[in-house]
Amino acid sequence: MKIEYYIVLSLALFCIGIAGVLTRRNAIIIFMCIELMLNAVNLLLVAFSKMHHVAEGAKNVAMAGIDGQLFVFFIMVVAAAEVSVGLAIIVMMYRNTHSVDVNFLNRLKH
Amino acid sequence: MSATVFLFYFLSVLALGSAIMVVVSRNPVHSVLWLIATFFAISGHYILMNAQFIGIVNLIVYAGAIMVLFLFVIMLMNMNADSEPKKNKWLKLAGVVSGGCLLLVMVAALKSAEVKGQLVQMKDGDIGLIANLGKALFTDFVVPFEIASVLFLSAMVGTVVIGKKGD
Amino acid sequence: MIPVLLIVIPLLSGLATFLIKQEKGAKTWSLLASLITLVVSVIGITMVKDKAALSANLEWLPMLGSSFSVTLDGMGQILCLLTAVAFPMIFLATWNASYKNAKSFYALMLLGQAGLMGAFLAHDALLFYFFWELALIPAYFLCSQWGGERRIAVTMKFFIYTFVGSLFMLIGIIYVYFHAGQNFSIESFYSAALSPKEQNWLFWLFFVAFAIKMPIFPLHTWQPDTYEQSPTAVTMVLSGVMVKMGLLGVIRWLAPVLPMATWQNGDTVGLLCVIGMIYASILAIQQDDLKRLIAYSSIAHVGLMCLAIFVTSEKGMQGVMIQMFNHGINVIGLWIVVELIERQFGTRKISELGGLAQKAPALAILLVVVSLANVALPLTNAFIGEFLLFTGVFTSTVSKMGPVFTAVAGLSIILSAVYTLNMIQRVFFGNTNQLTASAHDIRSNEKIVLGILVVAILVVGVYPKPFLELTQGTVEAIMSKMITKHPI
Amino acid sequence: MKNILQLVWMVPVLPLIGFLINGLFRKQLSKPLVSLVGCLSVLSSFVISVLIFLDVKNGHTGVVNYFDFISVGKLHIPFAFQADQLSALWLLVVTGVGFLIHLYSTAYMKDEEPQHYARYFAYLNLFVFSMLLLILGANFVIMFIGWEGVGLCSYLLIGFWFKNNEYGNAAKKAFIMNRIGDLGFLLAIFWMVLKLGTVTYHTGDNTGVFDLVSKLSTFDITGITLLLFVGATGKSAQIPLYTWLPDAMAGPTPVSALIHAATMVTAGIYMIARSNILYTLAPVTQTVVAVIGLATALLAATIALKQNDIKKVLAYSTVSQLGYMFLGLGVGAYTGAVFHVMTHAFFKALLFLGAGSVIHAMHHEQDIRNMGGLKKKLPITHLTFLIGCIAIAGIPPFSGFFSKDEILAAAYANNPIYWYLGVAGALMTAFYMFRLYATTFLGQFRGTEEQKHHLHESPLSMTFPLIVLAILAALAGFVGVPEVLMPNSHALGEFLAPIFADSAKHAHAHHLDHSTEYVLMAVSVIGAAIAIIYAIFRFTRKPDLQEATGFGKVLADKWYVDEFYNGIIVRPLNWLGKFLNTYIEKGLIDWVVNGVGRSVNYLSRQVRLVQSGQVGSYVLLMVLSILVFFVIQFFLKK
Amino acid sequence: MNAIVISAIWGVIMMFSGAFSKNLKTVRALSIVGIALLFVVNLLELYGTHLFTVDTKGMLQFDSFGLLFNAIAIGSTAVYFLLNGRDMEKVGLHVAEYYALIFFVLCGISIASSFSSLLMLFLAIEIISIPLYILTGADKRNLKSNEASLKYFLMGAFSTGIMLMGICLIFGAKGSFSIEQIALGDGTLTPMVGAGLLLLMFSLAFKVSAAPFHFWTPDVYDGAPTVFTSFMATIVKAGLFIAFIKLFGDAFGELHGQWQTLIAIITAATLIIGNLTAVFQQSVKRMLAYSSIAQAGFMLFSLVALNGMGREGLLYYTLAYSIPTIGIFAILVRMKDYTFEGFNGLAKHQPVLAAVTSIFLLSLAGIPATAGFMGKFYMLSAAIQNGHVMWLVIIGIICAAISVYYYFRVIQAMYFKEGDAQELETSSFHKGLLVLMAAFVIFIGIQPQWLLNQLYTFFS
C-alpha cells in the first residue's frame, strides 16, 4: 500500500476527532473524540514505521522504523494515565454539578 | 484487487464510518460502542501491517480497558440520549466545517509530501513482533520506559487526590 | 569621583530619609543633603582643569559592553549645578508647607535628584537610559501621592506617555548598540556606522522620547495637566530640571549620534518647535490657572531651545546651554511664587486673585523680577540665553529657514509679554477682593530663596561670561561631531 | 583730559545706585532723604555729563570697554560705552531735564505714602539709568538693553498707581507695543550678526557695523534699516505703534514729561541718528521713514485738535512732533532731527510740567473744559506755559522755530509735498496748542467752587524747573541758527558733524537758494501766527465745551484707531486662543492622546468578550487559528 | 540526570510522607529538604558531578543551558515552597500529595530541559501537565476549581493530540524521533516537516499560553487555587518555554527563516491580546493571568530571534518574571478580596508588603533598576539583533507601555486610594522572605553581572 492512503485515512480520523470535539457538549464524548485523535496518530505512526522499515531496510538497518511502534506504545501508556485522571476530574465535576455539559462551564470567563 | 487492498479499504471504511458514528450518536453509550468498533478496525490495520503487538495491545488496552472505563463512568452517571441538550446548530455546523476544512488543508498541504509514493510494508516484516519490540524497549527505550513510571505515579496520586471522597 | 558623589549623595540620603520618623527631621536632613550636593557640584565646577576628578568609569556590565561611566563635562556641570541649586531652593521655599508622610516625600525628592544627576552625567547609553527612567519613578509617586484632585489619572497619563517615548528610545539605543560594536559607551555611539536611512528612522525613535520629555508640540498635552496636578515642589523639579533631560538627550545622545538625520530633519523639527512656541504662547494667554499658564509658557521656552539645537549653530547651542540653566532658575522662581500664593489663598485661579501688591509688596517685587526674566528682559539671565538662541537660529548656516523661524518664533517674545503682564496685573495689581484683603507678605525664608534667585537672575544676566566659558568646550565638541559627520 | 572719559561709567551707575538705595530701603528712608538720593544721583550724573560734553567738544571721543558681555565663537559683544558728540549731547539732555523733573517730582508727588514715594524715585532713577545705557552703549546690544530697560520703566511708571486697573492696562499696552517694535530691533541685530558678525558701531580696527556697511547688499541694508525703524516706531510712537503714548498719560505727570516727551520717546531718533550711515545708504527706508513720520505728524495733529484732556493734547502733540523728527531723519536732515529732539525736550518737558502744575493746582483735574482763567492764579505757570506754546508753534526766535524750520527746509529740498503737508501740520500744531492755552489760562474759570478756593501757584521746587526749562525753550534755538539768517552760526551742526560725516559724503546735497528759504520760513511763521491769533480769539471767548459731533467726533475719538486695532488684532487673537484651547488643544490633540487610552480600554472590553468561558468556542477558535496558520504557511507564503 | 532521578524519588517520598506522618510540619520540612537536595544535586551536575551514570541512548542530553535553567526553576520552587507552604495546606487535605505532584512536575521540567528525542519531549510535557490538571482541581468543592480543572484537562488533552500528530508527521518525514536526526537536512522545509513543525508549534504555544492558543490560561489561572496558579504561571511556564526553545532551536534551527514569521505573528498576538485584555480586569488574580500571557509574549521574543542573546535572555527573563510573580501571588493568596479595590489603602496598613508589591510590579512592568527591565532589555536586544522583526519590537514596546497601566493600577490602589485594607495574616518570616526577594529583584536589576557571569560561563 502507498503511504498516502494511510496519511489520508489517518488525517480523516484525526479531523473527525476534532470535529467531534467541536460539535459535542458532553465532556466524556469530547474526551472520547480526543482518544480518537490519538488513535489516528497511532495508526499513522505504525504506517510510517512500516514505511521506514522498507526504505531504511534497504540500507541494511535491521530494526529500522521500530521506534515508531514503540512510540505508539508510549502513547497508549500516556493515554491510559490521562484517561484515569480525566475521568476522575469528570466524575468530580459530575459529583458537584450533576452535569458533564461543557456549556455549563462558564463561571470563569472574560 | 488483492485481499490486502480489499481488507485495507474495508477496515478504512469501517474505521471512518464508526468514527463518524461516535461523533453523531446521540446516546453516549452508543458512542462508546462505536468507538470500540473504530478501535477494532484500527487494530485490524495494525495486524494488516504485521504490527501484531500493537494490534493486540490496542485491543486489550484501548478497546478492553480504557473503553470499559468510559462505559463504567457513563453508566455511573446514568446518561442516555436525552441527557445531552442540543447544541447550537450553527456552532455544530461551524465545528463540522472547520474540521472538514482542516482535513482539506492538511491533505492539500501534504499532497506533495516528501514521502509520496513510498510503500508501506504489509503482512511482512518483523519489527512489529513482540520479541523485537521488547528488546528495543528494554535497551534503547529503557529510559523513557522508566520515566513513564513517573507519569503513572503522578496519575495515580492525582486520581487519589481527585477521586478520594471525604473533603 | 565628583560625578559619582553627585549621584550617590542624594541616592543614599534619600534612602536614609525613609527611615526618619519626624517631619522636621526629614526636612532638615534632606535640606542638609541637598546642600552637600550643592557644595560638591560647586566644587565640581571649580575643578575645570582636573579632568580625572570629573569623570569616573567603573565596571558595570562588561559583558554587555556597558560601564558605569559618568563625566562632568561643561553641559553636565551646568545642569548638575542647576539640579543642585534647585533642590535646596525647593526645600527652603516649601519649608512652611506640610506634607503628610513627609519622610517619603523628601526621600522621593532626593531619589529623583539622584536620577536626574545620573541622567545628566551618564556617558554610557544604557546607564543614561537607567537614570532617565529612574528620575521618572519618584516623580510619578510624588505626583500621584501628593497631587491635586485628578492626580491619579493625570500622572498615569504622564507616566505612560513618557514611558512610551522612553521605550522608543530604548529601541534606538539597542539598535545603535549593535552597530557600535556592541558597546554602549558614548564614544562608540558617536562612531557608530549607520547609513543615512537607518539614521533617519532611528532619529524619530530618539526624538519622540526627547520630544515628549521637553515637551514639543504636539506631544505636550501631558504637561499642563501634570504641572497643574502635581504638588508645586514636584512641578518645580519637573519643569525646572527634568525638562532639561530632554534637551540634554537631544544634545548629547541624538544630534552627535545621528548627525545626518539631524541635519535632514532639522527643519521639520524646527517647524514643530516654532508652531509649538506660538501655539503655547497663545494658549498661555487663555489660561486662568497660574500653573497652567506657566506650563504653557514653559513649552514655548523649551520649544525655542529645541529649535536652536536643530538649526545646528554654535551660538544657538551655546544659548541652549546657558538657557537650560536660566530657564530652570526662572521657572522655579515662578513656581515658588505660585506655591506661596496657593498656600496662602488656596487657589491658583487668576480671576480669583488681585491686588496682592498692596498686601504683599515683597512678593510682588520678586515676582515681577522673575516674570521679567521669564519674558527675557535684558540684564536678566534669560535675555542672554534668548539672544544667543535667536541669533543662532537666525544666523544658522545649516537651516535655510533660520530667518523665517526667528521672525515667527520672535512673535513669542511679544506674546510672552502679553501673558506675563496679564498675569502680573490681574494677580498683583488692581484692588484687593475678599480673598486677598487679609493677605500677608511672605516669610523671611521665602524672601531669602526668592532673593537668591533674583540675584542669580541678575548676575547671570549682567555677567554671563563664566557660564558661557564653562560650556564652550562641550559646545565645540558637539558641533564638531554634528558638522564633520555630515556628508557635505 | 582722558580721565574724564574714564568716568563715563559713573554716569549711568550713579542713578543705578540711587535706584538701589531707594528701592531696597524704601520702607526705612524718609521722604526728604529719598528726594535727596533721587535728585542728587541724577544731578551728579549731570555734572559728569557736562564734563564729558566739554571733553568731547574738545575732540576727545572714545570707546571704553568694560568686560565681555557675550562672547561666543566669533561673536564678541563687549559691555562698552561710547562717548562721542551724539551721546554727549543726549547725556546732557537726559540728565539735565531728568534732574529738573526729579526736582519737580519732589513736590508733585509729596502726597504719596513714603514707601510709594521712594518707589517712584527708584523707578525714575532706574529709568535714567536705562536711558543712559541706551545712549552710552557702544553697540546695538547695549543699546537694546537700555531700549528695553526704558520700556520697562515706562511700564512701571505708567502703572505706578497700580490699584487702578485702567492705568495697569495702559502700562501693559505700552509695554507690549514697545515689544513689537523691539522684535524688529532684535531681528535687525540678528541680521547684522548674520552678515557682519558684529554689532559694535565702530571699532578701532574698522570692523564695526558702520565700518563694514560697504559689505552689505542693498537688500540687507534696507532690511536692517526697516527693522530698526520698526523698533523706532514702537519706542517713538509712530504709525502704526503710536497708540500707547496717549494712554501712557495715565502715569504721574512728571513721568509724562520725562519719559513720554523729553527722553524715552526720542530713543528712536537717537537710534536712527546713530546708524545714519545705514539709512543714508538705504533710500527706500528713508522714504518710508519720511512718509511714516509725516503721516504720524499729521494724524496726531488732527487728533490733538479735538482733545479735551490737557495731557492728551500734549501727548498727541508729542507724537506729532516726533513725526517731524522722523520726517527730518527721512529726508537726511539728521542734525535737524537731533536739534528738534533737543528743543522739543525742553519745550515739551516744560509744557508737561506746566500742565502738571495746573493739574496739581486743580486737584487732579485734567479736563480743560473745567479750567479757564488760570492766568491770574498761576502766573509763573502761565508764563512758562505760554513760552512753551510759542516755542512749539514755531514762532521765532523761540527754539521750536529753528529746529522745525531746519527739518521743513530739508523736506522741501527733498520733496516739496513733504513741506506742504509739514507746514499744514505745523499750523495745526499752533492752533491746538493755543486752543489749549486759551481754554486753560484765558477766559473765565469754569471749575467748581472748591477748586477755585484752593487754586494756588505751585511751590518753588516745581516752578524752578519750569523757569529753567522756559529759558531753555526760549533760547536753545540759537545753537542752530540757519545758514541764511546768520552764516556759520550752526553750532550744533558743527558739533555733530563728525557723527554725520559719512552720511554727508553719500548724501546728495540739496541746497535751497536763500530766497526760497526765506519764503518758506515766512509762510510757516505767518501761517502759525494766524493760527495762534485765531485760536486765542476763538477759544478765549467761547471754548468748545460740547461733545464733538460729526467729523469732530471722529477726531475726538482718535480716528477709531484703537477700535480698529482691537478688531483686527486683540479680538482675533483672543478668539484664536479660545479656538485653539477648545478645539485644537482639548478637542484634537488631547482628544487623540486620551483617545488612545480610551480605545485601548474599548478594545480591552471587546477583546475580553472572546474569552467567553466556553470550551467549545475556545477549541473552535484554536482550530480556526490552526487553519489560518496552515493557509499562511503553505498557501500564502511565496 | 541527578535532578530527574532525585525529583522522582522525592516525589515518591513525599507521597508516602503523607501516609506516615499526619503532622503537616514534617511534610513541609521534608519538602524543603527535598527541594534543597534537588538544588544541590543539580548544582553538582552543573559542576560536573554525575550521581547517576545512565546510558540514555540519546534520549536525554544534559547541557549547561538546561542545567542552569533547572537551577533557576528549582531555586524558584524553593522560594515558592518557603513562601507558600502554609497556604498550600489550606487548599485541601492532601498536602503531601500536592508536594509529590510538584516534585513530579519538577521531574518533568528537568526532562523538558534536557530531552533530545521527541519521545522524551512528549513524556516530559505529559509529566508536567497531568499533575497540573490535578492541582488545578485540588480545591475540590470549589466549582471554579472544578471547572478550571476540566477545561484545562480537555484542552490539554486536545493539544496533546495536536502535538502527537505533529510528532508523527515529523517521524514520517525524518524516520526518527531524535533531535539530531531531525536537525539534519538541507535547510529546505518539506511539506510534511512543515506540517509537523506547525502542529508542534501550536501545541507548544498552547502549553506556554501563547495566543491564539491561550484561551485556557485566564480561566485556569483564575479558577485554580491561588497557590498553584502561582506555580503554574511561573516555573511551569518557564519550563515549557525551555522545551519550546530547545526543540525549535535544536531541531528546527536551520529552518528558522521558514517559521520565523509565524512565530512572530503568534508573539504579536500574544502580546496584544494579553495586554489588552488585562487592562479591563477587575480581579487582580485574573489580571495577573492575562499579564502572564503578556509576559509569555515577551519570552517568545527569544524564539523569534533565536540567537544567543535570546537564550540568555530567556533564562534571565524566567528569573525576572518568576520571582516577582511568585511574590505577588504570595501576597495575593492571603487576601480575601482579589479585586483591585481590595488593595486600596494597603500601603497604610502594611507598608512593607505594599512596598514589596510595588517593587514586584515595577519589575513586571520593566522599569529600570529592577530585574524585569534587564529581562525586557535582553528580549528586545535579541529581536533587534535578529533584525527582521522590527515591527514586532514596536508592538512589544507599545504593549509594555500598556502593561504599565494595569500593573500601576495596583500601585495606585495601594498608595493613592483611601480604603480599609483587609486584614492580612503575615508572619515576619513571610515578610522577611518577600523583602529578600524584592531586594534580589533590585539587585539583579542593578547588578545583573552576577547572573550574566553565570550565563556567559556556561555558554562559552
Side-chain angles (χ1 to χ4, degrees), chain C residues 398-409:
Chain C
V398 173
S399 172
K400 297 261 182 302
M401 302 286 288
V404 180
F405 283 161
T406 317
V408 180

Side-chain angles (χ1 to χ4, degrees), chain D residues 86-162:
Chain D
L86 194 62
S87 54
L89 182 68
W90 234 280
L91 281 186
L92 279 186
V93 175
V94 170
T95 51
V97 176
F99 165 69
L100 291 175
I101 290 170
H102 273 72
L103 187 62
Y104 180 93
S105 299
T106 54
Y108 190 85
M109 300 298 285
K110 66 176 190 306
D111 296 337
E112 293 293 319
E113 284 172 41
Q115 184 185 336
H116 293 300
Y117 186 77
R119 186 162 62 89
Y120 173 80
F121 274 94
Y123 289 166
L124 271 192
N125 276 355
L126 182 63
F127 169 76
V128 174
F129 162 72
S130 307
M131 194 66 207
L132 293 174
L133 268 191
L134 191 159
I135 294 162
L136 282 170
N139 58 52
F140 280 104
V141 172
I142 306 296
M143 187 200 272
F144 185 76
I145 294 175
W147 188 268
E148 287 242 291
V150 292
L152 167 70
C153 298
S154 151
Y155 165 74
L156 292 171
L157 284 164
I158 297 170
F160 178 73
W161 287 304
F162 55 74

Side-chain angles (χ1 to χ4, degrees), chain E residues 218-342:
Chain E
D219 292 1
V220 171
Y221 284 7
D222 194 7
T226 312
V227 255
F228 298 131
T229 307
S230 161
F231 181 66
M232 275 194 276
T234 55
I235 298 154
V236 175
K237 178 172 277 186
L240 292 161
F241 253 108
I242 293 299
F244 204 164
I245 196 168
K246 217 169 142 53
L247 176 65
F248 276 74
D250 293 355
F252 306 123
E254 290 287 305
L255 305 169
H256 183 217
Q258 314 275 344
W259 49 268
Q260 192 188 22
T261 317
L262 277 196
I263 196 80
I265 293 172
I266 289 180
T267 309
T270 311
L271 282 169
I272 292 171
I273 290 180
N275 282 301
L276 267 188
T277 325
V279 168
F280 211 75
Q281 297 307 317
Q282 300 308 316
S283 147
V284 174
K285 189 179 178 188
R286 208 167 164 83
M287 179 276 277
L288 284 170
Y290 282 107
S291 108
S292 88
I293 297 174
Q295 301 283 354
F298 266 104
M299 288 161 103
L300 279 170
F301 270 71
S302 61
L303 259 158
V304 178
L306 207 69
N307 47 24
M309 212 142 192
R311 280 166 210 255
E312 294 155 30
L314 186 59
L315 290 194
Y316 196 95
Y317 207 103
T318 302
L319 201 61
Y321 161 67
S322 301
I323 297 288
T325 312
I326 291 175
I328 294 174
F329 270 115
I331 293 165
L332 188 68
V333 76
R334 305 205 167 179
M335 304 190 80
K336 286 175 198 76
D337 184 359
Y338 282 176
T339 60
F340 282 93
E341 284 73 36

Side-chain angles (χ1 to χ4, degrees), chain C residues 157 161 217-218 220-221 225 279 282-283 285-287 296 314-315 318 357-358 361 365 372 375-379 383-384 387-388 390-391 394-395 406-407 410-411 413-418 421-422 424-425 429-431 461-465 468, chain D residues 26-27 67-73 75 77 79 115 129 133 141 144-145 148-149 152 155-156 162-165 168-169 171-172 175-176 179-180 183 186-187 189-191 193-194 573-578 580-581 584-586 589-590 593-594:
Chain C
K157 174 167 150 188
Y161 212 142
F217 175 89
H220 65 279
T221 50
D225 285 349
Y279 178 82
I282 292 178
L283 282 187
I285 300 174
Q286 292 294 317
Q287 303 306 319
Y296 280 110
E314 190 184 353
K315 298 182 197 83
Q318 188 66 267
Q358 297 167 42
I365 290 167
L372 293 175
V375 301
L377 204 81
L379 292 190
F383 172 71
I384 310 292
F387 180 79
L388 283 173
F390 276 120
T391 314
F394 196 95
T395 61
T406 317
L411 293 177
I413 295 183
I414 299 164
L415 294 172
S416 76
V418 174
L421 296 188
N422 257 335
I424 294 179
Q425 192 189 343
F429 298 160
N431 256 322
V462 175
Y463 193 61
K465 201 176 166 193
L468 293 174
Chain D
R26 65 190 187 288
K27 287 184 185 155
F67 55 88
D68 255 0
F69 182 51
I70 295 174
S71 174
V72 174
L75 176 66
I77 302 171
F79 205 101
Q115 184 185 336
F129 162 72
L133 268 191
V141 172
F144 185 76
I145 294 175
E148 287 242 291
L152 167 70
Y155 165 74
L156 292 171
F162 55 74
K163 280 185 210 169
N164 187 326
N165 263 328
N169 286 336
K172 212 168 66 188
F175 192 85
I176 289 164
R179 271 245 145 171
I180 298 173
L183 176 60
L186 265 184
L187 289 174
I189 293 180
F190 300 147
W191 204 324
V193 174
L194 174 67
L573 190 67
N574 265 327
W575 179 84
L576 183 66
K578 286 205 181 82
L580 290 181
N581 201 17
I584 305 296
E585 179 81 350
K586 295 203 179 92
I589 300 177
D590 215 22
V593 173
N594 292 334

